[in-house]
Amino acid sequence: MAANPTSSVDPAYVTAKPVNPAGLPTAYEHGGRLTPEGSSVDPILVEIVQGTLASVEMEVETAIGRTSRSPMIRDAHDFRAGIHDRQLRKLTGRSYSALVHPIVRDYPIEEMVEGDVFFHNDVYESEGGIGHLPDLCVTVPVFHDGEVVAFVQAFGHHDDIGGAVPGSMPSNATTVYEEGLAVPPIKLWDAGVPNRSALRIMTRNSRMPDSLAADLDAECSACLMGARRLGELFERYGREAIETSFDAILDTTTETYRREILSKIPDGTYVWEDYAEHDGVDEPQLHTQRITLTKVSDAPADPENGRPAGPRLIIDFTGTSAQAKGPINHCGDYVGGNFLKKWLAPILRNLADTPERMAELDVNEGIVPLIEMRFPEKGTLLTPIHPGPTNARTFVILRLLGVLAGVVAKAVDGKMPADQETIRYTGVYGKDLDGNDYLMREVLGGGSGGRYYADGEDTIHVVPDSRNLPTEFTESRFPFIVERLGLAVDSGGAGEFRGGLGYEKHIRMLKDGHFMSIADRSILACWGVRGGKAGMPFQVVIDPGGPDEREVDALADAEEIKAGQLVRIRTTGGGGWGDPLSRDPESVVRDVVWGKVSAEAALRDYGVVLTGSKDAGDLAFDESATTAERGSRAAWSKDDDAFFDRGPGYASLAEGAAHADVDRI
């Protein structure tokens, strides 16, 4: 029988230090079990509770999507919901979410009342859960018998929260003060009454006040609805049974990852690094993000930090570059890296026995005890000092996904995907045909990396359920025509298993405007692994083939575009896996027929000699000529060649070096 849920528990990873890196108190309880270890639990009820949590999370997101107004939230779906218990542990695992920690830090649980809605977007006061100011976060407590028992939360990327440029992401910002309005945790609703003064301050600071107000209303209403749904769950089964189920859900995740994932990584220490290429202020250079990964199978228990005895991953970021002048910094060193652990853990799922099993593995708070993070001193890309800018922090946290994949690949002989870069912001703004201000901003995806068993996927997005903006919507609302939206031919890195393709999008302007871009991987391509080649980098060209043709920097705030001019956007292709000379020639022929690989690349990258014609429908390959062509080339060798291919752009930033020292096994 479970213990009385109101009895005191030992918070598993409370670090009761006087202050955290932001100078804020940390003596709030978080991360502990709700019931004693070994408490009895009904497995059928656990399934019911887990299904209800997923259903409530989906219902909250559906409500936001249907009632919000801005294209980023309503159409692109760049938002997430999450459910957390009263120890602030994330219970759902379909996607990442922000943290409840800063709310409880500033507003003790015992002082909360039904109808309260909390809001924040201040990066440096978010305990690491918010990356940049456009990510606005709403949190609602769930009550049962007058006490807080859980939290429902939503956060998403909003159109504009002020700052130096439309969209609140100035590419050359040197302080957070240029990036928009920063709001520490506040009560946006107090006992069911909206704080209209706070709402007016926020909308007054936005270039898109109507859509901001509508989005916030949608998010608050959806989270309040979700809180009611969870309250009904507690009412039906009782607090003790539900909290025992919460513990069981997280315990299952911990045990599953320990048994199925961590066991695949040999004990030892492995080092790898990757780079952001520019920060919007200084000239392009290698901004290093390094991980030293140590796998230990018999680590001792660490009760103070909630780590059980047994397998553990130690992720050490020592060697990461100094804090950038520009906005590519990310505040990761809070609450022991709690947000980063859950952000990075999905990469580990690639070690599952099958792709189907990988898709079944949730990432919730259960993975946190298995990972220890060690951060360098303040003043690095991952430990920035206020008021360092952060709006393009995707350059760091997305790159860290690849760094972890790369360092694990070194440990498991390459049985991890090659690299991908599946988020960047592009858009146009100005006056529409009626003379009104408009802002169209889109998060275009890219190709994922090839895998040891399959090609990468085309045009994926790192945010689950997010998407490109529908052409019908954008053409009806904004002064341009989308002339093409398709796959960027040859963008996927060559390999035994090819990288996925990026987008190619053509926009024809109907009125003068400005183009904006917050993107990386325009110099340093997505890397290939184990003989696979890097994909094609990001590129934007205005007026291609015309008299004013010019390539636009990947970090641009206000590039002028004239009416009638075309903007061509090509997003990154994923890296390839394995030696391209080992790719099945039939697959190369298929790729040429499908328009994913050009005939020239079939010979150049894969050594496949084609016969016939795509137009005539008889495209094939000459087997003997292909064998001879491939035989004349040197095959990739693990002993002689680098394990990773970074593409030709790396040498331009690395004083001519073809690869880094850490790229060899």
Side-chain angles (χ1 to χ4, degrees):
M1 180 65 67
N4 187 332
T6 61
S7 64
S8 62
V9 296
D10 177 26
Y13 31 91
V14 171
T15 52
K17 299 175 182 177
V19 294
N20 67 13
L24 299 164
T26 59
Y28 57 92
E29 202 171 272
H30 60 280
R33 295 183 64 85
L34 303 172
T35 58
E37 201 160 355
S39 298
S40 61
V41 59
D42 180 352
I44 296 177
L45 180 59
V46 173
E47 290 291 324
I48 293 172
V49 170
Q50 193 164 21
T52 302
L53 293 174
S55 175
V56 171
E57 182 182 66
M58 182 67 74
E59 189 175 2
V60 170
E61 292 189 356
T62 300
I64 293 171
R66 288 180 174 176
T67 58
S68 57
R69 180 167 175 177
S70 71
M72 286 292 284
I73 301 294
R74 184 190 63 202
D75 300 290
H77 282 225
D78 191 1
F79 67 93
R80 296 269 66 81
I83 299 173
H84 310 252
D85 67 16
R86 62 183 171 87
Q87 282 287 323
L88 320 186
R89 302 179 302 172
K90 187 173 186 293
L91 299 169
T92 47
R94 191 171 62 87
S95 179
Y96 60 92
S97 67
L99 303 180
V100 182
H101 300 62
I103 306 303
V104 175
R105 178 197 67 213
D106 293 358
Y107 294 88
I109 283 180
E110 57 271 15
E111 298 178 8
M112 297 177 182
V113 299
E114 292 195 56
D116 283 350
V117 177
F118 300 91
F119 173 90
H120 72 290
N121 76 324
D122 190 319
V123 173
Y124 284 91
E125 293 199 12
S126 72
E127 298 285 61
I130 296 293
H132 58 183
L133 295 178
D135 282 350
L136 310 185
C137 184
V138 169
T139 306
V140 173
V142 179
F143 284 83
H144 175 71
D145 289 342
E147 294 186 347
V148 174
V149 290
F151 295 89
V152 177
Q153 188 179 73
F155 88 116
H157 189 125
H158 292 250
D159 273 345
D160 189 277
I161 193 67
V165 301
S168 309
M169 296 183 67
S171 64
N172 60 354
T174 56
T175 70
V176 293
Y177 304 119
E178 301 159 63
E179 298 179 320
L181 182 68
V183 182
I186 63 169
K187 274 191 181 183
L188 194 58
W189 290 32
D190 190 346
V193 179
N195 184 339
R196 301 196 181 280
S197 297
L199 285 167
R200 186 175 182 191
I201 290 171
M202 286 190 279
T203 55
R204 181 64 173 165
N205 278 272
S206 173
R207 296 173 179 84
M208 304 288 165
D210 293 341
S211 63
L212 176 59
D215 288 350
L216 286 174
D217 187 52
E219 289 157 353
C220 291
S221 299
C223 286
L224 286 165
M225 177 270 294
R228 290 194 299 272
R229 295 285 188 269
L230 279 185
E232 293 166 2
L233 182 69
F234 277 86
E235 188 68 30
R236 181 174 183 179
Y237 295 104
R239 176 170 173 175
E240 184 175 341
I242 297 302
E243 292 195 332
T244 304
S245 298
F246 286 174
D247 281 338
I249 290 168
L250 301 186
D251 289 345
T252 297
T253 297
T254 303
E255 179 55 32
T256 298
Y257 274 79
R258 179 189 290 124
R259 182 181 64 252
E260 298 185 29
I261 302 299
L262 267 62
S263 63
K264 303 286 182 63
I265 303 175
D267 281 15
T269 297
Y270 313 90
V271 182
W272 202 62
E273 66 189 33
D274 205 358
Y275 318 92
E277 63 195 26
H278 54 175
D279 72 346
V281 176
D282 285 332
E283 290 298 311
Q285 59 184 278
L286 298 178
H287 295 272
T288 304
Q289 292 138 75
R290 172 177 285 215
I291 286 179
T292 299
L293 176 71
T294 301
K295 160 66 185 310
V296 181
S297 290
D298 56 355
D302 182 5
E304 180 182 354
N305 292 296
R307 302 187 187 107
R312 187 178 306 161
L313 294 180
I314 301 170
I315 297 176
D316 190 335
F317 298 106
T318 301
T320 294
S321 286
Q323 179 173 333
K325 294 178 184 176
I328 65 171
N329 306 291
H330 176 73
C331 297
D333 57 330
Y334 294 81
V335 203
N338 183 281
F339 174 84
L340 275 182
K341 291 176 184 179
K342 289 174 283 189
W343 169 260
L344 293 175
I347 289 296
L348 300 174
R349 296 186 302 185
N350 288 284
L351 294 172
D353 287 338
T354 65
E356 294 76 17
R357 180 56 177 155
M358 179 178 74
E360 295 172 348
L361 297 179
D362 280 346
V363 175
N364 54 35
E365 206 78 17
I367 62 93
V368 170
L370 300 175
I371 301 173
E372 176 184 346
M373 285 188 168
R374 298 176 182 175
F375 292 91
E377 294 297 318
K378 297 296 288 185
T380 71
L381 291 173
L382 275 176
T383 60
I385 300 169
H386 186 271
T390 67
N391 76 75
R393 94 294 187 212
T394 51
F395 292 14
V396 170
I397 61 171
L398 286 177
R399 192 69 69 256
L400 285 178
L401 294 171
V403 180
L404 181 59
V407 75
V408 173
K410 293 180 74 171
V412 298
D413 195 28
K415 289 193 174 181
M416 290 288 286
D419 192 35
Q420 62 185 39
E421 178 79 356
T422 60
I423 189 171
R424 76 274 303 147
Y425 304 92
T426 60
V428 293
Y429 64 92
K431 298 284 186 181
D432 64 20
L433 298 177
D434 296 322
N436 299 315
D437 291 330
Y438 77 92
L439 166 64
M440 189 290 295
R441 187 172 51 183
E442 187 171 26
V443 184
L444 279 176
S448 69
R451 299 155 286 182
Y452 66 91
Y453 55 87
D455 292 344
E457 299 290 341
D458 302 324
T459 59
I460 68 164
H461 295 240
V462 73
V463 179
D465 297 331
S466 65
R467 61 201 70 174
N468 60 290
L469 294 179
T471 296
E472 296 81 1
F473 162 73
T474 56
E475 289 186 341
S476 67
R477 183 163 176 175
F478 305 116
F480 59 74
I481 295 173
V482 179
E483 294 191 352
R484 183 177 192 270
L485 178 62
L487 300 177
V489 181
D490 289 337
S491 58
E496 181 180 357
F497 296 102
R498 175 183 44 73
L501 273 60
Y503 281 103
E504 179 164 333
K505 186 168 188 175
H506 297 180
I507 297 174
R508 179 82 62 181
M509 299 300 297
L510 300 178
K511 191 173 182 181
D512 291 358
H514 293 87
F515 177 81
M516 64 192 319
S517 172
I518 297 289
D520 202 22
R521 291 296 196 206
S522 64
I523 301 172
L524 302 173
C526 296
W527 45 263
V529 65
R530 217 176 188 284
K533 301 302 182 182
M536 294 294 289
F538 175 80
Q539 184 191 55
V540 175
V541 176
I542 291 179
D543 198 30
D548 296 322
E549 178 176 346
R550 64 193 186 278
E551 187 168 339
V552 179
D553 192 88
L555 280 171
D557 290 330
E559 187 73 22
E560 289 190 5
I561 328 170
K562 299 297 183 182
Q565 288 187 331
L566 185 80
V567 182
R568 186 184 69 200
I569 304 166
R570 289 176 176 164
T571 68
T572 50
W577 193 98
D579 190 343
L581 299 182
S582 298
R583 185 167 177 81
D584 180 1
E586 292 285 2
S587 295
V588 177
V589 172
R590 178 205 63 191
D591 285 346
V592 175
V593 171
W594 286 357
K596 294 188 174 186
V597 172
S598 67
E600 295 77 14
L603 178 61
R604 180 188 68 231
D605 298 337
Y606 295 97
V608 173
V609 179
L610 298 176
T611 62
S613 166
K614 176 181 174 181
D615 293 336
D618 61 351
L619 190 71
F621 73 99
D622 185 316
E623 184 172 357
S624 60
T626 295
T627 300
E629 176 65 30
R630 289 181 164 185
S632 69
R633 306 184 187 187
W636 178 80
S637 167
K638 180 178 176 181
D639 295 329
D640 299 330
D641 298 315
F643 205 63
F644 302 90
D645 177 64
R646 299 182 184 271
Y650 176 76
S652 68
L653 300 182
E655 300 180 341
H659 55 79
D661 292 340
V662 295
D663 289 347
R664 292 187 178 276
I665 297 295

